[in-house]
Amino acid sequence: NRGELLSQYDIRFLQKVFEECAHARRLAEKHPRYENLVSQATSVYGDIMRKGLNNEHAATQHKATPQ
């Protein structure tokens, strides 16, 4: 995490990933051997989104603080 902000492309990509993860979770319910893989993938993308949101929040706070 270098403190970079997510681009609009990054955000759209991650939204698509989360949509596909929902589909993957439904498939994993039918094929339990994939549940762990789907869970790990969802967790990784969740971490990326959280870090991006934290970076966005930090950048907004930095801009709002008078120097």
Side-chain angles (χ1 to χ4, degrees):
N1 181 10
R2 296 181 298 191
E4 296 176 1
L5 302 179
L6 295 173
S7 69
Q8 288 300 316
Y9 174 81
D10 295 331
I11 292 168
R12 284 192 308 272
F13 174 77
L14 290 169
Q15 287 171 333
K16 183 67 175 169
V17 167
F18 273 112
E19 291 170 10
E20 291 178 8
C21 283
H23 178 69
R25 275 189 239 113
R26 288 191 299 275
L27 288 174
E29 289 173 4
K30 296 177 185 176
H31 304 281
R33 67 179 178 257
Y34 297 115
E35 286 179 349
N36 190 40
L37 176 64
V38 170
S39 177
Q40 289 176 4
T42 302
S43 178
V44 167
Y45 285 110
D47 289 344
I48 293 168
M49 284 298 290
R50 272 188 293 284
K51 286 180 182 182
L53 290 171
N54 288 342
N55 291 345
E56 188 73 36
H57 179 72
T60 302
Q61 292 298 321
H62 180 71
K63 288 179 185 177
T65 305
Q67 296 191 19

